[in-house]
Amino acid sequence: WKLPSSSAPVVERARRREEVYQGPHVHRAPDVVVELAQHDGYGLSLVPTPWGDAARTSVRRLEDFELAGGKGRGMNGVHTPHGIWIQTNTEGARGALAAAHIADTAPTILRAMGVAFDGALEGRPLGGARAYSAAEEAVVAERLRKLGYLE
């Protein structure tokens, strides 16, 4: 597939699930993980095509009204394989944070919340994490509401 406006590819690359995921549940992941290309610095996205409308094509620019709304009600963002971890590090272990992996997220959050876990998770808890204060939690909840993740 190519973008109608520039003939640029829609797909950056496709990878086998074993190249992307690891662990005992890899077989539950899609066989192929498709990474969409960027166009003019913006990530492309996949949304349902209204096949009943013959004037619509499978690759098209979204109308303004299709962009608004939270999860399931439009397109308001895309995910990429890159992320950011923001943490107050009171233990001074900068090297440990530089080597952080996404699998460290759950153990770190569980420890910060004081929830015991049996260590069967991948990853390790990172130092210096703490639970949100009530005020911080309210801010995060409001942001998630605006994005459509909370009612």
Side-chain angles (χ1 to χ4, degrees):
W1 287 337
K2 303 280 185 183
L3 291 172
S5 60
S6 69
S7 297
V10 172
V11 174
E12 178 72 27
R13 67 181 171 165
R15 299 167 55 191
R16 290 189 169 111
R17 65 179 166 207
E18 293 81 8
E19 296 174 46
V20 178
Y21 301 105
Q22 51 186 291
H25 301 289
V26 169
H27 68 281
R28 297 172 70 180
D31 294 338
V32 177
V33 178
V34 175
E35 294 178 16
L36 299 177
Q38 294 220 343
H39 180 65
D40 292 335
Y42 293 94
L44 300 176
S45 61
L46 301 174
V47 295
T49 299
W51 293 109
D53 183 351
R56 301 282 179 145
T57 63
S58 60
V59 178
R60 64 186 175 85
R61 183 175 295 276
L62 295 177
E63 301 293 332
D64 286 345
F65 74 89
E66 295 175 289
L67 300 175
K71 189 172 183 176
R73 292 189 294 267
M75 187 62 232
N76 57 4
V78 297
H79 293 267
T80 68
H82 306 288
I84 183 170
W85 182 287
I86 299 174
Q87 175 178 340
T88 301
N89 187 355
T90 59
E91 296 177 14
R94 289 181 169 224
L97 292 179
H101 186 273
I102 193 160
D104 301 330
T105 306
T108 302
I109 292 170
L110 289 172
R111 187 179 77 180
M113 294 177 66
V115 176
F117 60 97
D118 61 8
L121 298 171
E122 289 184 45
R124 69 205 183 334
L126 301 174
R130 65 167 178 79
Y132 284 139
S133 68
E136 291 168 327
E137 191 168 328
V139 168
V140 171
E142 181 58 25
R143 288 179 182 167
L144 291 173
R145 239 180 249 99
K146 287 180 179 178
L147 290 170
Y149 288 99
L150 297 177
E151 295 298 325

